[in-house]
Amino acid sequence: MNTQVILEPIDVENFRDHRGNLDIAELQFVEKFETKRIYYISTVPAGQSRGAHGHKELKQIFFALAGKFELTVTDGSVFETVELKAHDKGYFLPAGYWRDLKEFSNDAVCLVLASEHYDEGDYIYSYDEFLRWKNHG
Ligand code: TYD
């Protein structure tokens, strides 16, 4: 059952044998999503955070390929925080949310599938501006 309000969990199936690990996520249950870009974040120093911005149109899917980190998302009133761990669930984030990535383990690798090419105009870097955009946009 999906108890998340904003984030949609994506199950990851694990195959383990003497040859190593194989992890698979089927995306057919996610809202129409075409991956136009991927990026990945790694080697985040202890105590550093990433993100801290909103996106107007961009939809994203997050996975931890290694280690773990926390993803917090909000529309300005509802806040949701999940921990992403290697070999565990990914999360789909719809368009129009603010997001923060924190508590990275040393070995964490965060993979993001993005629905659009990089567009600086889609970012909102000020939380106050994000709230104004949410309320009046
Ligand atoms: P930034 O948005 O600060 O990364 P994060 O969300 O992980 O904190 O991006 C860092 C720099 O990388 C910034 O100058 C913009 C650039 N960038 C691209 O050119 N293309 C991309 O797809 C992304 C995600 C960032």
Side-chain angles (χ1 to χ4, degrees), residues 13-47:
E13 196 175 0
N14 315 119
F15 289 88
R16 304 271 173 269
D17 64 31
H18 65 281
R19 300 169 299 163
N21 300 335
L22 172 63
D23 300 312
I24 301 164
E26 294 281 359
L27 303 181
Q28 74 265 35
F29 302 116
V30 171
E31 175 187 331
K32 186 167 163 39
F33 187 97
E34 183 191 351
T35 302
K36 291 193 179 158
R37 174 169 54 109
I38 67 163
Y39 61 93
Y40 34 96
I41 299 166
S42 57
T43 328
V44 178

Side-chain angles (χ1 to χ4, degrees), residues 37 39 41 49-53 99 101 118 123 125:
R37 174 169 54 109
Y39 61 93
I41 299 166
S49 54
R50 307 282 318 201
H53 58 249
R99 67 176 182 76
L101 296 163
Y118 179 65
Y123 283 68
Y125 282 108

